[in-house]
Amino acid sequence: MSDITQRQKLRPKYKLSKIIKSVPFAIAMLLVGVALLDFAQLPAIVQFAIRAFMGTLPFILFAVLMIGYLKATGSESMIGRAFAGREIQAIFLAALIGGLAPFCSCEVIPFIAGLLAVGAPLSAVMAFWLASPLIDPPTFIITVSELGWEFALSRAVFAVSLGLMGGFVIKMIGRRGAIADPLREDYKASTCGANRFKGKPKWAFWTEQERVQVFRKEGITNLLFLGQWLALAYVIEALFVTYVPAELVAQVLGGEGIRTIGLAALVGAPAYLNGYAAIPLIAGLLDQGMSQGAAMAFMIAGPVTSIPAMMAVMSLVKKQVFAAYLMFAIVGAVLFGLVFQYANGFVG
């Protein structure tokens, strides 16, 4: 083999098509587009995205360290064994904890990535995933102040119910082997190799150089993978918040009737801003004649299927799992919206 051929094989291959498909390239193109078309808004969009990302960064770092520690100690298999034969209990526990956990739809993503990476059952993970963004103590208090106790308590009950619904449906599907391996191949290739450490876990992993290397590698690859996808999600959210006024959402979702509930669930997906900004928006819509059921549908579908949440989910799991995630969010939002509207006597 000639020296030239050998050097060509050793040289990294930076294909243009691979660069164009990369997440950093997508972020750069979006910001370049704003700079060219509306430069005055560029600083505000960048600041919005940075603030949102920095708010999630502590959760990313915690999850990254957790994954690295489990991999380096060889203890990740203990997670799977802990759930063995207890999947039903795990679903209930995950839905209940999810309803209390103080995570928004994006802050929960790193923890979900960690659970899936170490072999937790998808049914329990889905229960937590669906319930967690819908309600937390601060959101509950703000909801009470703006929309009343009935709305806040109902939303909390629906959050746990949505988690249970998603968890048990996934459990039934899993019996047929339809979703045996939920993680995307590129995520597994980037972050989740087979565990080389067998036998009893070694909790003080830093005493062995090989385990330290595994900890470092897992930490860096997970941080880069999760970080770039969430950065893209927040840039897109910043664009949406900047160029889609709340008045337009109010115009689309005003009115009563069952049709409005379905529309609220669909519009709630991309139009949802965040757990705090959406509450006064809903209060204003109710004052303008929006039905109680449509308001509830918007508040359920929105956190689960907001743009950042969907982007993050797409980066982790395969298409069929992502489709199931969206289905649970939309169907659950319509169902619970109808229940809440019926309970308030507003069925149209």
Side-chain angles (χ1 to χ4, degrees), residues 123-137:
S123 57
V125 172
M126 183 67 75
F128 181 78
W129 209 339
L130 291 169
S132 183
L134 292 180
I135 199 74
D136 56 56

Side-chain angles (χ1 to χ4, degrees), residues 3 34 55 105 144 179 288 290 305 312 328 344:
D3 292 340
V34 173
S105 53
V144 170
I179 313 179
Q288 296 177 25
M290 184 182 190
T305 58
F328 292 138
N344 282 273

Side-chain angles (χ1 to χ4, degrees), residues 7-345:
R7 284 197 300 269
Q8 288 175 343
K9 286 190 174 184
L10 293 175
R11 185 182 304 161
K13 296 180 179 180
Y14 298 104
K15 293 183 178 179
L16 181 60
S17 60
K18 187 175 181 180
I19 296 175
I20 292 176
K21 294 178 181 178
S22 69
V23 176
F25 183 82
I27 296 173
M29 289 299 97
L30 289 174
L31 295 178
V32 167
V34 173
L36 293 175
L37 300 175
D38 191 6
F39 185 79
Q41 293 292 342
L42 181 62
I45 289 173
V46 172
Q47 290 174 10
F48 180 100
I50 291 176
R51 283 197 304 268
F53 182 83
M54 295 305 295
T56 306
L57 184 59
F59 301 95
I60 297 176
L61 293 176
F62 179 84
V64 164
L65 292 173
M66 179 187 70
I67 297 172
Y69 183 77
L70 291 172
K71 292 277 189 178
T73 59
S75 58
E76 60 181 290
S77 60
M78 295 176 61
I79 303 294
R81 291 198 299 269
F83 285 108
R86 302 184 182 90
E87 189 174 359
I88 293 177
Q89 296 94 313
I91 293 172
F92 275 102
L93 186 62
L96 289 172
I97 293 176
L100 298 174
F103 301 134
C104 74
S105 53
C106 287
E107 290 170 350
V108 75
I109 296 299
F111 292 94
I112 295 301
L115 290 172
L116 290 175
V118 298
L122 179 60
S123 57
V125 172
M126 183 67 75
F128 181 78
W129 209 339
L130 291 169
S132 183
L134 292 180
I135 199 74
D136 56 56
T139 303
F140 182 85
I141 293 172
I142 296 174
T143 303
V144 170
S145 65
E146 291 280 348
L147 303 174
W149 281 98
E150 183 181 5
F151 197 102
L153 289 172
S154 298
R155 188 184 181 190
V157 171
F158 293 150
V160 176
S161 301
L162 181 62
L164 292 174
M165 180 183 75
F168 280 106
V169 170
I170 288 294
K171 183 179 185 299
M172 289 188 292
I173 295 175
R175 289 177 178 176
R176 303 176 183 178
I179 313 179
D181 188 9
L183 288 171
R184 275 177 46 166
E185 294 300 326
D186 56 344
Y187 178 74
K188 289 191 294 182
S190 299
T191 64
C192 306
N195 191 348
R196 70 185 73 176
F197 305 119
K198 307 297 182 182
K200 186 178 180 180
K202 186 176 181 60
W203 304 111
F205 72 88
W206 50 87
T207 60
E208 296 182 13
Q209 185 60 32
E210 184 181 10
R211 293 178 184 270
V212 172
Q213 291 176 354
V214 169
F215 177 80
R216 184 184 299 114
K217 176 180 178 296
E218 292 293 335
I220 293 174
T221 52
N222 274 283
L223 180 61
L224 292 176
F225 190 91
L226 294 173
Q228 67 179 358
W229 276 99
L230 284 173
L232 175 60
Y234 285 131
V235 169
I236 294 176
E237 183 186 24
L239 294 172
F240 192 92
V241 170
T242 301
Y243 295 111
V244 180
E247 294 78 11
L248 179 60
V249 178
Q251 181 181 353
V252 172
L253 296 181
E256 298 183 3
I258 295 176
R259 182 188 66 83
T260 309
I261 295 176
L263 186 61
L266 294 174
V267 173
Y272 194 81
L273 307 181
N274 60 59
Y276 305 121
I279 295 172
L281 171 62
I282 287 296
L285 289 172
L286 288 170
D287 291 339
Q288 296 177 25
M290 184 182 190
S291 70
Q292 294 281 334
M296 183 61 72
F298 183 87
M299 294 291 280
I300 292 174
V304 181
T305 58
S306 64
I307 290 175
M310 286 194 292
M311 293 287 297
V313 174
M314 288 175 61
S315 72
L316 294 178
V317 296
K318 293 180 178 177
K319 293 179 180 178
Q320 57 267 39
V321 180
F322 177 67
Y325 173 85
L326 291 183
M327 180 195 70
F328 292 138
I330 301 300
V331 172
V334 174
L335 174 63
F336 297 133
L338 288 172
V339 170
F340 191 66
Q341 184 156 317
Y342 178 79
N344 282 273

